[in-house]
């Protein structure tokens, strides 16, 4: 009887240990440098779905938002780990509306940004992240266009040069810039659908930045406006 009880206790302990380890891996958070040393994939998410609040992001039917995170329009969930491979992905409202349901394919030790945009039926775009820090005196900048309607043109002034893009691709890949020089961004709507957006950006040394353009309704004017958010990873 004592031997049976000991064997049973050992089995229960082993089961609880496996269960705890299995759960804790998907809840793990940490810096990209820490996560790169482990056999996990990393995901972050940005919500550009107009007029939304408190959306829940689920991986394999498990909510990954923390209780203090309001995943609203313009909201960002910072990197967290999941097991690599094909994972089920869902985005739902507190009332149960399903904005997105599908799959994401991830590879161990790689990091991905998931961008949701649109309206009732969200469009999803995934981009692989680059968390390798630039050299001293440099910064990385990536630009993402989540404006679903209209023709946009981005121009920016940097040092003594000016460049422009017409967003044939929604993601402008990372580029390195001198970190102590301001960059002036000017986003214009070539079809007149939106008012221009202009701002200066001055990132920290060795920072890795993503500038996201998206739309939301102005509650006072009921007009759709282009907004931007700067996501900085250090």
């Amino acid at each position: 009887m004592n031997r049976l009880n000991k064997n049973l206790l050992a089995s229960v302990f082993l089961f609880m240990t496996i269960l705890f380890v299995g759960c804790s891996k998907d809840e793990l958070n940490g810096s990209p440098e820490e996560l790169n040393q482990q056999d996990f994939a990393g995901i972050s998410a940005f919500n550009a779905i107009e007029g939304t609040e408190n959306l829940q992001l689920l991986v394999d039917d498990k909510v990954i938002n923390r209780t203090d995170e309001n995943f609203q329009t313009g909201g960002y969930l910072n990197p967290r780990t999941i097991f690599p491979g094909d994972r089920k992905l869902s985005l739902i409202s507190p009332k149960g509306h399903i904005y997105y349901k599908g799959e994401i394919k991830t590879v161990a030790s790689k990091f991905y940004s998931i961008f949701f945009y649109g309206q009732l039926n969200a469009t999803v775009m995934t981009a692989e992240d680059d968390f390798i820090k630039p050299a001293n005196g440099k910064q990385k900048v990536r630009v993402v266009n989540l404006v679903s309607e209209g023709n946009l043109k981005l121009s920016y002034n940097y040092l003594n040069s000016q460049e422009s893009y017409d967003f044939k691709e929604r993601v402008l890949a990372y580029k390195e810039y001198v970190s102590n020089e301001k960059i002036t961004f000017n986003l214009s709507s070539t079809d007149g659908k939106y008012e221009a957006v202009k701002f200066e950006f001055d990132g920290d040394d060795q920072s890795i930045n993503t500038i996201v353009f998206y739309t939301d309704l102005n509650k006072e004017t009921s007009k759709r406006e282009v907004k931007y958010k700067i996501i900085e990873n250090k």
Side-chain angles (χ1 to χ4, degrees):
M1 185 70 174
N2 289 338
R3 180 178 299 174
L4 178 62
N5 287 341
K6 289 179 180 178
N7 290 340
L8 179 61
L9 182 61
S11 298
V12 170
F13 177 78
L14 177 61
F15 172 77
M16 293 302 293
T17 301
I18 294 173
L19 180 63
F20 174 77
V21 172
C23 291
S24 64
K25 283 180 180 177
D26 265 5
E27 294 170 356
L28 193 68
N29 290 302
S31 69
E33 291 81 2
E34 293 169 338
L35 301 181
N36 259 331
Q37 300 171 7
Q38 305 176 45
D39 194 24
F40 305 122
I43 62 169
S44 58
F46 185 87
N47 175 17
I49 303 171
E50 296 179 5
T52 55
E53 290 187 358
N54 292 310
L55 299 190
Q56 293 185 325
L57 181 60
L58 292 82
V59 175
D60 290 342
D61 301 320
K62 178 181 177 181
V63 178
I64 67 170
N65 306 52
R66 291 191 292 270
T67 55
D68 61 343
E69 290 178 316
N70 177 9
F71 197 35
Q72 60 187 350
T73 306
Y76 174 69
L77 301 181
N78 60 13
R80 54 211 64 193
T81 56
I82 61 173
F83 288 111
D86 296 333
R87 310 299 299 273
K88 292 190 295 183
L89 191 70
S90 303
L91 186 67
I92 63 175
S93 72
K95 294 183 179 180
H97 176 77
I98 300 174
Y99 284 96
Y100 179 78
K101 191 170 186 178
E103 288 189 348
I104 180 175
K105 181 186 292 290
T106 62
V107 176
S109 298
K110 290 186 179 293
F111 298 83
Y112 305 86
S113 289
I114 306 170
F115 300 97
F116 298 93
Y117 63 101
Q119 299 180 36
L120 288 177
N121 295 313
T123 301
V124 174
M125 180 179 67
T126 302
E128 187 175 331
D129 297 323
D130 177 5
F131 286 138
I132 299 175
K133 284 188 176 183
N136 287 329
K138 298 285 188 177
Q139 61 176 323
K140 286 182 181 178
V141 180
R142 171 177 65 175
V143 180
V144 178
N145 171 24
L146 300 181
V147 179
S148 55
E149 298 177 356
N151 299 317
L152 300 179
K153 179 180 179 181
L154 177 67
S155 60
Y156 66 88
N157 298 322
Y158 170 67
L159 297 177
N160 296 319
S161 64
Q162 183 180 61
E163 296 190 33
S164 62
Y165 298 94
D166 57 6
F167 280 120
K168 290 182 179 179
E169 302 291 337
R170 288 197 173 271
V171 178
L172 302 181
Y174 292 102
K175 289 187 65 176
E176 288 195 0
Y177 302 91
V178 177
S179 57
N180 61 358
E181 293 287 342
K182 291 184 178 179
I183 308 172
T184 302
F185 287 96
N186 190 351
L187 184 74
S188 59
S189 174
T190 58
D191 55 5
K193 194 174 183 67
Y194 306 105
E195 293 185 7
V197 177
K198 185 176 181 179
F199 63 95
E200 287 188 339
F201 174 72
D202 184 12
D204 291 337
D205 187 37
Q206 293 189 292
S207 61
I208 302 168
N209 307 279
T210 298
I211 300 174
V212 184
F213 293 102
Y214 64 100
T215 56
D216 200 11
L217 289 177
N218 185 313
K219 294 181 180 179
E220 296 181 357
T221 63
S222 297
K223 291 180 61 177
R224 184 174 285 112
E225 297 178 344
V226 174
K227 298 185 176 182
Y228 70 92
K229 182 160 188 168
I230 300 171
I231 301 169
E232 182 178 35
N233 297 100
K234 296 182 180 180

